[in-house]
């Protein structure tokens, strides 16, 4: 099921309570207003936190930033035409610039506007989501445990 969500205009926040080493993962797929998926972000909680960006990375790569010690985390994903940024509890852990990718499809694919998102069925970590506070968008929370309202 896709969700109407303009990720380029409104960062999204995703709540997790997954610990590193749990083998759970967050999987968010990116779609244009109509047509097929063109990208995604995966955060994998293996023995180290890893990320994969469809159309930009060949495989999973480690997130080397020091993560907050809390197990309940709010991940903020911000996408622009040039980069994908991820914060955990307000601390930047990844700033992936599309033009620095060695994958030739990265810039033409990920510079596109994201108009719809979907949480893939292999997503075992996401407990809910909301627009980043201050965004002028309304979406229904995926899980009632995460009202995350202001």
């Amino acid at each position: 099921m896709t969700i109407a969500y303009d990720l380029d205009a409104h960062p999204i926040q995703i709540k997790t309570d997954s610990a590193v080493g749990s083998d759970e993962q967050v999987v968010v797929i990116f779609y244009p207003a109509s047509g097929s998926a063109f990208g995604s972000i995966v955060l994998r909680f293996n023995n180290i936190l890893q990320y994969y960006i469809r159309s930009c990375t060949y495989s999973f790569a480690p997130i080397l930033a020091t993560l907050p010690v809390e197990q309940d985390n709010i991940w903020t994903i911000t996408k622009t035409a040039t980069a994908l940024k991820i914060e955990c509890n307000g601390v930047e852990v990844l700033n992936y610039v599309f033009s620095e990718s060695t994958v030739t499809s990265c810039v033409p694919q990920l510079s596109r506007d994201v108009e719809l998102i979907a949480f893939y069925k292999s997503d075992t970590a996401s407990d809910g989501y909301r627009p980043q506070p201050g965004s002028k968008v309304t979406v229904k929370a995926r899980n009632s445990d995460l009202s995350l309202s202001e």
Side-chain angles (χ1 to χ4, degrees):
M1 174 181 78
T2 58
I3 302 159
Y5 197 95
D6 185 350
L7 187 59
D8 293 83
H10 307 285
I12 192 168
Q13 293 187 322
I14 299 169
K15 181 180 179 186
T16 68
D17 60 5
S18 303
V20 172
S22 67
D23 291 327
E24 293 186 318
Q25 60 185 9
V26 171
V27 185
V28 182
I29 303 171
F30 307 147
Y31 293 88
S34 63
S36 299
F38 61 84
S40 63
I41 178 69
V42 179
L43 297 175
R44 185 179 283 171
F45 296 85
N46 283 349
N47 57 340
I48 57 169
L49 183 64
Q50 298 175 307
Y51 72 94
Y52 170 78
I53 303 172
R54 179 178 161 192
S55 301
C56 289
T57 58
Y58 289 110
S59 60
F60 282 89
I63 290 182
L64 301 175
T66 302
L67 296 174
V69 295
E70 298 88 350
Q71 189 167 336
D72 288 337
N73 293 303
I74 302 296
W75 301 87
T76 303
I77 300 173
T78 304
K79 185 198 165 292
T80 67
T82 60
L84 184 89
K85 183 173 82 169
I86 300 176
E87 295 178 359
C88 180
N89 297 344
V91 176
E92 184 176 291
V93 296
L94 180 68
N95 188 353
Y96 192 91
V97 178
F98 303 143
S99 63
E100 295 176 3
S101 175
T102 58
V103 180
T104 57
S105 63
C106 185
V107 171
Q109 290 296 321
L110 272 289
S111 63
R112 298 170 64 187
D113 286 341
V114 175
E115 299 291 336
L116 303 166
I117 62 169
F119 289 88
Y120 194 63
K121 60 185 173 185
S122 63
D123 184 324
T124 53
S126 296
D127 295 326
Y129 71 93
R130 71 174 180 192
Q132 182 179 30
S135 294
K136 303 290 186 209
V137 65
T138 304
V139 292
K140 184 176 178 182
R142 179 176 182 212
N143 182 326
S144 61
D145 292 339
L146 180 67
S147 54
L148 279 185
S149 48
E150 296 179 76

